[in-house]
Amino acid sequence: MSLIKKIFIVFASVLVLLCVCLDGWYLYIKFFGPDKIVSNTYEVGLQETTDGNKKYFAEINYFSNYNYNGLELFEVKFNYFVDENKENFYSQGLQFVANSQTDILQWQYNYSEAVSDKDPYREESGWPLAKYYYAKFSSYGLKNGASIYNYTSYDDYETTTFSTNPFNKDSSFKIQLGDDLFLMKFKYRNFDNLKDLENIPFISSGESYFKTALLWNWADYYNYYSYLDVYYFSQLLYNSIRSLKYGTSQSIVFEFGDMFDYYKFEDGDYVDTALKETDKVITDLKSYYSIKVNISADGAMRASTDSIFKSIHGEVNYNTISESGDDVYFIGRTVINCNENDFEPIELGEGEFELKLKQEFISSFIEYKDSIVLNVNIDLESYGDYIKKIKLSENAFGPFVVYKVSGIDYMQKAVA
């Protein structure tokens, strides 16, 4: 046997042995090795331009209308850098606002905008039934009685415009983490297949329809998920801050899970920082955002003072307060006190009631309606435990002007 053949045989034997060892090590790790969790944490705080101007990346403004004197209004504002030079901020935000004083903000899942992806996997539960699974995705919105506006500004809303680049699945923000610049995006809906939906908010399931073909039956099922987008982010914050005290005005740190993608700016490019998961490596991603929060018990009445966008319902001049002050509006009017005894509970079904003024009260004061205002104080406990939900009807006060409503937690009870 020649020397070259001997060398080749030795080399091939070593190579085969090495491959066997590597395969054996891989199989050992796969079946017997411990799982490893790799943690990736992002902390987003104050953003600062090169000239020292500081802003929080996100701000929240909530006028709850607990005092029933304006509109329920919830706003989320984002401040981010215009470019990589970090010399100026740009701002874009969402305003969720009731259409009238009696309306409230109620979130809903907009199935009408959902899209479908067929699951490439098929589950069979015995002959002759087969199941096919789909996933539907959509954004959160508001029920009737409220509106959503998308504002932008280059000068912190000294000048307010409707967005010419509204929030969508490709929206991104240039932000600062520590000393580094990152591009942040909402994940929206990114996955390899429908088996990889653990981090997508699950809403509900339902059977779409059932078919029969000869002796074979099959049914289509839908799982509903929320897009990880700016609207999901907003409703999370809305539900979270409602537990805070009225009058709160401070920065609060909120924890979020795997909701965002981060790209680090390096050598003129944005590089994805995501860690790829394997069978044995699990990523644990957390994001902590310091957000400025302002909460009021009042309703929004004046755009220039109550909205961080200085606009309500798209109107920068929106104002339901007399320019001379609140009291001027009521000069010459007598305050009439009324309580739960002056209201009639109207049953809507299943323990839900609406309150409206009794006809006797209206008849007694109708001729004075232009010279009186109502000071309403309602004791809900007087109605007993049989009432599960109670709210003021849309025309609860008839033709009268209301000065103040207290006692009934209108915002809470109406959405209980």
Side-chain angles (χ1 to χ4, degrees):
M1 183 181 297
S2 66
L3 179 61
I4 295 178
K5 286 185 177 180
K6 291 180 179 180
I7 294 174
F8 176 77
I9 291 173
V10 172
F11 176 77
S13 300
V14 172
L15 184 61
V16 170
L17 180 61
L18 180 62
C19 291
V20 170
C21 290
L22 291 175
D23 289 342
W25 178 252
Y26 169 78
L27 293 173
Y28 173 79
I29 294 297
K30 180 177 179 63
F31 293 106
F32 303 105
D35 292 342
K36 293 184 178 181
I37 299 177
V38 179
S39 179
N40 215 354
T41 303
Y42 298 90
E43 298 180 11
V44 182
L46 276 171
Q47 309 293 293
E48 184 175 2
T49 60
T50 53
D51 63 358
N53 184 20
K54 296 182 179 180
K55 290 183 181 296
Y56 290 95
F57 166 65
E59 301 176 37
I60 296 172
N61 182 46
Y62 182 46
F63 276 70
S64 68
N65 200 27
Y66 177 82
N67 291 333
Y68 203 67
N69 55 0
L71 302 177
E72 185 183 7
L73 175 141
F74 177 72
E75 299 174 320
V76 182
K77 172 188 172 188
F78 299 94
N79 303 302
Y80 50 96
F81 297 115
V82 172
D83 53 34
E84 288 72 23
N85 296 321
K86 299 193 297 185
E87 294 177 344
N88 296 290
F89 286 117
Y90 196 75
S91 177
Q92 184 163 194
L94 292 172
Q95 179 183 85
F96 306 87
V97 57
N99 293 336
S100 72
Q101 182 172 305
T102 58
D103 288 320
I104 61 175
L105 302 185
Q106 297 184 80
W107 297 85
Q108 69 177 1
Y109 191 64
N110 292 330
Y111 296 106
S112 60
E113 299 179 3
V115 297
S116 299
D117 281 350
K118 185 172 182 179
D119 192 334
Y121 298 92
R122 168 177 162 182
E123 176 184 331
E124 297 184 8
S125 58
W127 190 86
L129 177 63
K131 298 178 181 179
Y132 293 86
Y133 287 92
Y134 297 78
K136 282 195 172 184
F137 301 83
S138 191
S139 292
Y140 275 96
L142 295 177
K143 293 184 178 181
N144 293 336
S147 303
I148 304 175
Y149 299 90
N150 189 171
Y151 299 110
T152 58
S153 179
Y154 187 75
D155 55 9
D156 202 21
Y157 298 96
E158 290 299 322
T159 305
T160 301
T161 61
F162 292 118
S163 178
T164 54
N165 184 28
F167 288 115
N168 57 53
K169 66 184 181 66
D170 298 316
S171 296
S172 60
F173 309 91
K174 294 181 177 69
I175 62 174
Q176 177 181 321
L177 280 75
D179 297 326
D180 298 314
L181 184 68
F182 283 76
L183 191 71
M184 185 276 276
K185 296 178 65 175
F186 290 97
K187 280 189 175 296
Y188 192 68
R189 183 178 67 97
N190 58 339
F191 52 86
D192 295 329
N193 58 61
L194 298 186
K195 296 291 185 180
D196 301 329
L197 293 174
E198 291 82 0
N199 294 320
I200 307 298
F202 178 77
I203 307 299
S204 63
S205 294
E207 182 176 343
S208 177
Y209 47 84
F210 191 84
K211 299 177 180 178
T212 302
L214 298 178
L215 297 177
W216 192 266
N217 299 327
W218 69 91
D220 287 346
Y221 289 83
Y222 288 91
N223 286 343
Y224 297 96
Y225 300 89
S226 173
Y227 287 130
L228 291 176
D229 61 6
V230 67
Y231 297 97
Y232 176 72
F233 180 75
S234 297
Q235 69 90 23
L236 274 183
L237 291 173
Y238 174 82
N239 290 330
S240 176
I241 58 98
R242 296 185 78 195
S243 64
L244 298 174
K245 293 181 179 179
Y246 296 124
T248 296
S249 182
Q250 66 185 74
S251 64
I252 298 175
V253 176
F254 295 86
E255 179 188 270
F256 301 97
D258 192 8
M259 189 186 301
F260 316 100
D261 288 326
Y262 297 93
Y263 303 84
K264 187 176 181 180
F265 186 64
E266 295 179 347
D267 301 324
D269 294 318
Y270 285 97
V271 180
D272 192 354
T273 62
L275 299 174
K276 186 173 179 60
E277 286 195 354
T278 65
D279 289 340
K280 288 297 177 181
V281 178
I282 302 170
T283 60
D284 176 36
L285 193 149
K286 291 288 193 303
S287 295
Y288 296 90
Y289 280 69
S290 182
I291 299 176
K292 179 64 181 298
V293 178
N294 175 72
I295 302 178
S296 173
D298 289 325
M301 295 175 278
R302 178 184 291 162
S304 61
T305 57
D306 297 343
S307 168
I308 54 179
F309 307 119
K310 299 181 181 178
S311 177
I312 296 178
H313 281 299
E315 299 180 21
V316 295
N317 295 319
Y318 184 93
N319 184 10
T320 58
I321 303 175
S322 168
E323 292 302 320
S324 301
D326 294 336
D327 295 336
V328 173
Y329 183 75
F330 298 117
I331 287 178
R333 296 199 178 207
T334 301
V335 176
I336 302 297
N337 295 317
C338 54
N339 56 36
E340 64 279 357
N341 296 322
D342 300 307
F343 286 83
E344 178 183 4
I346 301 173
E347 186 171 6
L348 303 178
E350 298 182 355
E352 183 177 356
F353 290 78
E354 282 188 344
L355 296 181
K356 63 182 300 184
L357 280 172
K358 291 180 178 178
Q359 188 57 48
E360 304 94 279
F361 183 96
I362 295 176
S363 299
S364 298
F365 292 97
I366 186 65
E367 62 179 303
Y368 310 111
K369 70 181 182 65
D370 295 327
S371 59
I372 65 173
V373 293
L374 304 184
N375 180 30
V376 182
N377 185 9
I378 295 176
D379 180 12
L380 288 179
E381 293 184 0
S382 64
Y383 292 108
D385 296 334
Y386 68 95
I387 288 184
K388 296 179 180 178
K389 291 194 291 186
I390 190 167
K391 62 182 179 180
L392 294 166
S393 68
E394 187 173 350
N395 60 343
F397 307 109
F400 302 109
V401 173
V402 176
Y403 170 66
K404 187 177 181 181
V405 175
S406 58
I408 178 171
D409 191 347
Y410 174 62
M411 307 305 297
Q412 299 281 344
K413 293 293 182 181
V415 298

